[in-house]
Amino acid sequence: MIENINWYPGHMKKTRELIQENLKMVDVVIEVIDSRIPISSRNPIIDEIVSGKQRIVIMNKSDLSDAEENKNWCESFRKQGHYALTMNCNTGIGVKELYKLLERLQNEKNKDSIRLKPLRMMIVGVPNVGKSSLINRMTGKKSAKTGDRPGVTKGKQWLNLENNMQMLDTPGILWPKFEDPKAGLNLAFCGSIKDEILDVPTLAMELLDVLRKDYPDLLEKRYKIELSDFEEEVFDEDGFPVNPALATMEDICRKRGWILPGKKLDYERAGRIILDEFRAGVIGNITLEKAR
């Protein structure tokens, strides 16, 4: 499923060149990632391109992720030599902390300067991690387009902040080619890949498989099911083994009444609602990738 997603090396190359060309003009790089998938929502080429520059890692959507894992990941990034902050760019939680850090960096930059120079920063990140929402929060206006669909920002633009700082926005750097199917799945779970090009029921079933293992209590509480019913191998009426995740989805369909005429289970509806509820944090605070 994920292997069939189109990859745009031309777009990747253009954005890479854009960042490299402007990197010498900035003091700090702000990298926005999705706190639910701190590995999959980072493009590895960022490390290569911006090495040597101060970096602030913004763990956005932290209101949707596991609070304990947020702490673990922040500590992990700090050990790598980066600043790290948890944020919710939609509500503005964490923006004050970010400004305090940026002001400190600006003061350090001008410590021995007669003429004060503005701190210049660059915002980078893969599509749909909240880059534009962060920019709008920091500028206090809708200077950047936002949307649930990936790939909204086009070109580059310098933005002036009220505290005399300057920010360079860049297009979302695309995810790498999917050598690791798990990275592609995680991005799809979180909505960074358009659902229109995916098999939604299968994607939801893959998510249920992960949640069954890592967050069974949340799954049981949200959908009023008993996962213990599927701990032992289950067989269908023809004697074939049933995938536990599929059995879980079918149980959810029956509990919610998602049944089509002819008593057929509505897998399409179930898939879309399960994905939507995960992405909105309705199932609970979930981090799909744990800090090592």
Side-chain angles (χ1 to χ4, degrees), residues 3 27 72 91 114-115 118 202 208 210 216 225 240 249 279 284:
E3 290 80 354
D27 304 297
N72 295 339
T91 62
I114 297 175
R115 179 173 171 272
T202 301
L208 286 174
V210 174
I225 58 175
F240 292 102
M249 180 180 277
R279 292 167 184 169

Side-chain angles (χ1 to χ4, degrees), residues 119-141:
L119 184 75
R120 305 188 91 183
M121 64 201 80
M122 177 188 290
I123 308 288
V124 299
V126 302
N128 208 38
V129 292
K131 265 183 353 95
S132 297
S133 295
L134 173 60
I135 291 167
N136 292 339
R137 279 284 166 187
M138 296 184 71
T139 58
K141 57 185 178 181

Side-chain angles (χ1 to χ4, degrees), residues 12 25 44 51 54 61 66 68 74 80 88 90 104 116 140 145 147 152 172 174 183 186 200 219 245:
M12 175 84 81
M25 302 170 63
S51 61
Q54 285 186 313
K61 307 183 184 182
D66 188 318
E68 191 61 32
C74 280
Q80 296 173 41
N88 177 348
N90 283 331
R104 196 176 91 207
L116 297 182
K145 294 180 180 179
V152 172
L174 297 182
N186 285 333
V200 171
L219 205 55

